[in-house]
Amino acid sequence: MNKIFIILLLFLVAFSGCRQQKNITKRYYVLEMPAQEKTVFKDTISNIDKFCEVSPVNVYPAFATNRIALRGNTHEVEYFRNHEWAIRPAENFTNIIIEFFERYEVFKGVDTRYWRTVPDYRLETTIYQLEVLENRKKISARINLEFRLIDIQTDQVILKHSADRYKQLEENKINLFAAAISEMFYQELINTTKKITSTIMEQ
């Protein structure tokens, strides 16, 4: 009788644990271009009468999956269990660049691949770090990136723009982290575009 009671008790404990695990909901986050007035940025650049190919964004392997990275120590990276990117960062960032260039008509044409037209330039982007930083129970967003504009005829890099950005969050919420990453990437894309237009117009 005691054996039956123990087996039943163990079964109930295991079943209860399974139910608790099932109640944990995963949350998914997206990177988006912040909504801003088109004229605010549009008036600060000149349109380039050239075609640009946007290479798929290269994200370093530790940050390339759907898992969101958390760094508490210098050389140690963990991943959140219940918080993930809805779309892999490389694809998400590539889509933001395309949308940005199209919205502001930076180039005559922009695409990830051309079939009938030989583009004039190629934009390459590398994300070195994309992570949540934890320090004294406070979290910050970090993105470390580099843009390179290449003249396709000469295969020469004519412009580089790098940035290693941090933003401490007002609350320890991953939704605020995703918003901060989106905002910082967008700002560096603006800075890069201003340099691109200035460099090409001076040629």
Side-chain angles (χ1 to χ4, degrees):
M1 189 69 180
N2 289 336
K3 288 184 179 180
I4 296 174
F5 177 78
I6 291 171
I7 292 171
L8 181 60
L9 183 62
L10 290 173
F11 176 80
L12 290 173
V13 169
F15 181 73
S16 176
C18 290
R19 289 194 62 185
Q20 287 179 0
Q21 289 181 357
K22 289 181 180 178
N23 289 335
I24 296 174
T25 303
K26 274 196 175 183
R27 297 184 182 276
Y28 299 90
Y29 302 86
V30 293
L31 299 166
E32 296 178 313
M33 191 164 69
Q36 295 194 10
E37 289 294 330
K38 182 176 180 178
T39 54
V40 173
F41 176 67
K42 180 74 172 175
D43 294 342
T44 66
I45 65 166
S46 301
N47 300 112
I48 301 168
D49 192 28
K50 303 283 185 179
F51 291 91
C52 181
E53 177 182 279
V54 175
S55 295
V57 173
N58 176 37
V59 180
Y60 267 34
F63 313 100
T65 67
N66 293 75
R67 299 182 300 173
I68 297 177
L70 169 67
R71 189 188 295 267
N73 295 316
T74 307
H75 300 290
E76 182 179 289
V77 175
E78 300 177 67
Y79 298 95
F80 289 94
R81 290 185 179 182
N82 303 312
H83 302 280
E84 292 187 357
W85 296 117
I87 304 171
R88 290 198 173 195
E91 182 181 350
N92 217 159
F93 283 127
T94 303
N95 291 338
I96 289 174
I97 294 171
I98 294 290
E99 181 185 350
F100 177 89
F101 283 159
E102 288 180 342
R103 175 184 292 185
Y104 295 112
E105 301 174 347
V106 177
F107 292 95
K108 182 177 181 180
V110 60
D111 209 335
T112 54
R113 183 176 295 180
Y114 283 90
W115 298 102
R116 297 181 180 179
T117 301
V118 177
D120 302 280
Y121 302 102
R122 181 172 68 252
L123 183 73
E124 296 180 349
T125 307
T126 301
I127 306 293
Y128 298 106
Q129 274 98 22
L130 177 67
E131 57 195 359
V132 176
L133 297 179
E134 185 178 37
N135 184 23
R136 297 179 182 178
K137 297 184 179 180
K138 292 285 186 179
I139 66 172
S140 301
R142 182 193 185 190
I143 182 169
N144 182 10
L145 53 77
E146 181 180 73
F147 294 99
R148 294 172 300 279
L149 187 69
I150 297 168
D151 186 320
I152 288 183
Q153 283 191 339
T154 62
D155 200 32
Q156 296 294 312
V157 177
I158 62 173
L159 182 144
K160 277 187 182 182
H161 175 75
S162 302
D164 192 358
R165 298 279 303 269
Y166 300 80
K167 183 176 181 180
Q168 185 170 317
L169 306 182
E170 295 179 1
E171 298 179 68
N172 292 352
K173 294 183 178 180
I174 302 302
N175 190 56
L176 295 180
F177 162 73
I181 292 294
S182 297
E183 181 183 345
M184 289 188 290
F185 183 81
Y186 178 78
Q187 287 300 324
E188 295 310 320
L189 190 52
I190 287 178
N191 294 337
T192 300
T193 302
K194 288 180 179 179
K195 287 184 178 181
I196 287 173
T197 56
S198 176
T199 299
I200 292 177
M201 292 302 175
E202 289 175 1
Q203 290 181 340

